[in-house]
């Protein structure tokens, strides 16, 4: 075991007595923005969900975590276990303490093999002589109770033809029964792709099979694919990934980086896509991953990071950064994936009330409420949370486009760099659902046809909304999540 402690590359094993408790006190001074029913880090920065696996009885969830500050420092895997997505129990974390992960445990996925959970992840290392990144693909073994048993490197360095940016292994069982994992990669010509490895069993040495071909995707300007995920949904194959560098457009791909799915058929390493779409068109959604271990006959379950690389948020001063979206059920409808929170989230709703709104309406605890309303494909404008400084959040629909505007709210310079409006084309909008959680807004259109996930920051906000036209709102309140062992 090595205890790393070099600037931002600091392992939690190097924490001084009382250091994390002091940071937690700073986190707890945030009275405006900490979520009530979304997973957020106890301290520091979280990003990608990792190692999502259903072990037959319970769900294991990891996420990227730097405990000491709201910066991208030494990455750990924070480990939670749940039976119901309401109560979460801490288990053994994946903590960098070996040379093959000397600068952090980067993202990856999980597979149940026998009575063990196999976590595939990228070990971030840097060569001492020139600080050059050297990626490792590693394997950690946990038991079903969440105890870490062992870890070892599988692959050192990127394969020939690729840069040091090879990472985020997501494993799955191939039709031949062998274990495969897909990694995001960058070719030496600085274009993004994904590459697939195979191994006979967990003791085997992985072999590179080649690139995943996805000719239907316009890869122009894309310099990296991150967080790849191959799965089946019913009879269809699905590829989910996060391409970096794609040109921004007016009604899609509006962020600096994106989360995308392809739906079709996988033939060997050739993916024949019938549909390619963004998963979410809000300001803040990236690096989604689905749970392994489910049948996926009718639906899959996904978590995504409510955040983006290279962004700062107003909560950084409280020494916490980002959250995970609500667990989402993915299901097929025609040639598209629909997504909504899993049934357990709806079952947790309480204190349901109906409001007739037109003009200004006060709604108790609006900033942690669920709202649902019908719009009959007619224009509307809703303005939320206006405070004494005139800050507010606006959601509107006009000419087949749903628009979210956070111009008049607190934003960091980096948030404003990528504009303050997001637009989502919904040609026939009938139903809108909104989950507010303090500084988080998840919007679902037409029972999951489109989704928009965003952060917003309005301090001292009024629990009110203003509607441009009469609407009937169903309002209820999701149950707050609880943690033990943190």
């Amino acid at each position: 075991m090595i205890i790393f402690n070099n600037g931002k590359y600091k392992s939690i094993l190097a924490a001084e007595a009382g250091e994390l408790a002091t940071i937690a006190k700073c986190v707890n001074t945030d009275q405006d923005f900490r979520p009530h029913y979304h997973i957020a880090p106890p301290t520091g920065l979280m990003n990608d969900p990792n190692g999502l696996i259903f072990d037959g009885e319970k769900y294991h969830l990891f996420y990227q975590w730097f405990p000491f500050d709201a910066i991208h420092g030494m990455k750990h895997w924070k480990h939670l276990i749940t039976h119901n997505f309401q109560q979460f129990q801490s288990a053994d974390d994946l903590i960098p303490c070996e040379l093959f992960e000397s600068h952090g445990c980067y993202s990856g996925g999980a597979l149940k093999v026998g009575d063990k959970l196999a976590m595939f992840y990228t070990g971030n290392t840097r060569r001492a002589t020139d600080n050059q990144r050297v990626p490792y693909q590693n394997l950690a073994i946990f038991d079903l109770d969440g105890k870490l048993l062992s870890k070892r490197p599988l692959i050192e360095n990127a394969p020939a033809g690729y840069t040091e940016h090879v990472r985020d292994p997501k494993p799955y069982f191939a039709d031949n029964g062998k274990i495969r994992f897909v990694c995001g990669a960058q070719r030496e010509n600085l274009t993004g792709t994904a590459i697939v490895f195979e191994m006979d069993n967990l003791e085997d040495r992985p072999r590179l099979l080649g690139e995943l071909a996805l000719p239907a995707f316009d890869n122009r300007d894309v310099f990296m694919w991150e967080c790849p995920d191959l799965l089946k949904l019913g009879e269809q194959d699905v590829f989910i990934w996060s391409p970096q560098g794609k040109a921004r457009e007016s009604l899609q791909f509006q962020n600096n980086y994106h989360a995308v799915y392809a739906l079709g058929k996988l033939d060997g390493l050739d993916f024949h896509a019938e549909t390619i779409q963004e998963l979410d068109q809000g300001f803040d959604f990236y690096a989604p991953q689905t749970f392994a271990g489910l049948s996926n006959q009718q639906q899959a379950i996904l978590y995504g990071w409510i955040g983006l690389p290279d962004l700062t948020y107003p909560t950084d001063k409280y020494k916490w950064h980002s959250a995970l979206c609500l667990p989402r059920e993915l299901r097929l409808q025609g040639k598209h994936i629909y997504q909504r929170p899993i049934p357990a989230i709806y079952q947790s709703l309480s204190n349901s009330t109906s409001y007739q709104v037109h003009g200004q309406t006060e709604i108790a605890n609006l900033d942690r409420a669920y709202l649902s309303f019908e719009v009959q494909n007619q224009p509307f404008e809703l303005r939320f949370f206006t405070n004494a400084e005139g800050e507010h959040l606006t959601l509107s629909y006009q000419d087949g486009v749903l628009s979210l505007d956070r111009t008049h709210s607190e934003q960091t310079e980096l948030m404003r760099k990528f504009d303050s409006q997001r637009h989502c084309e919904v040609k026939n909008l009938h139903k809108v659902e909104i989950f507010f959680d303090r500084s988080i807004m998840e919007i679902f259109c037409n029972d999951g046809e489109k989704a928009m996930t965003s952060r917003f920051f309005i301090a001292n906000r009024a629990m009110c909304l203003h509607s441009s036209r009469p609407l009937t709102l169903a309002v209820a309140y999701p149950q707050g999540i609880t943690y033990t062992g943190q």
Side-chain angles (χ1 to χ4, degrees), residues 60 79 115-117 141-149:
H60 295 253
H79 186 183
D115 62 351
K116 299 295 187 293
L117 301 179
I141 303 297
F142 288 75
D143 67 19
L144 301 187
D145 292 325
K147 180 178 177 57
L148 176 64
L149 303 177

Side-chain angles (χ1 to χ4, degrees), residues 434-448:
I434 304 172
F435 288 84
F436 282 119
D437 194 4
R438 309 284 282 162
S439 61
I440 295 168
M441 184 184 196
E442 294 193 62
I443 305 169
F444 300 93
C445 303
N446 296 343
D447 293 319

Side-chain angles (χ1 to χ4, degrees), residues 134-263:
V134 180
Y136 282 74
Q137 309 310 323
N138 299 330
L139 175 64
I141 303 297
F142 288 75
D143 67 19
L144 301 187
D145 292 325
K147 180 178 177 57
L148 176 64
L149 303 177
S150 64
K151 53 185 174 179
R152 67 182 177 90
L154 295 174
I155 304 171
E156 179 182 358
N157 286 309
Y162 301 92
T163 73
E164 72 273 17
H165 295 290
V166 175
R167 54 180 174 267
D168 311 339
K170 181 65 160 60
Y172 60 98
F173 284 112
D175 291 340
N176 61 11
K178 297 183 179 181
I179 296 170
R180 291 184 179 179
F181 57 92
V182 55
C183 288
Q186 182 185 69
R187 303 183 185 98
E188 286 185 338
N189 67 2
L190 306 185
T191 58
T193 188
I195 55 179
V196 180
F197 295 86
E198 184 176 83
M199 49 200 302
D200 294 340
N201 51 56
L202 293 180
E203 288 70 44
D204 193 17
R205 183 179 179 85
R207 304 171 294 277
L208 176 63
L209 297 182
E211 291 189 6
L212 181 75
L214 186 59
F217 179 64
D218 183 356
N219 207 42
R220 284 178 299 176
D221 303 321
V222 174
F223 58 84
M224 179 65 192
W225 290 10
E226 290 196 314
C227 304
D229 189 353
L230 273 171
L231 65 145
K232 292 191 76 69
L233 192 55
E235 296 302 314
Q236 293 286 299
D237 292 305
V238 179
F239 179 54
I240 297 172
W241 80 111
S242 296
Q244 296 184 327
K246 191 169 181 61
R248 300 172 68 209
E249 300 179 22
S250 60
L251 295 179
Q252 61 179 350
F253 304 115
Q254 298 158 85
N255 293 326
N256 59 333
Y257 302 134
H258 318 99
V260 182
Y261 77 86
L263 181 67

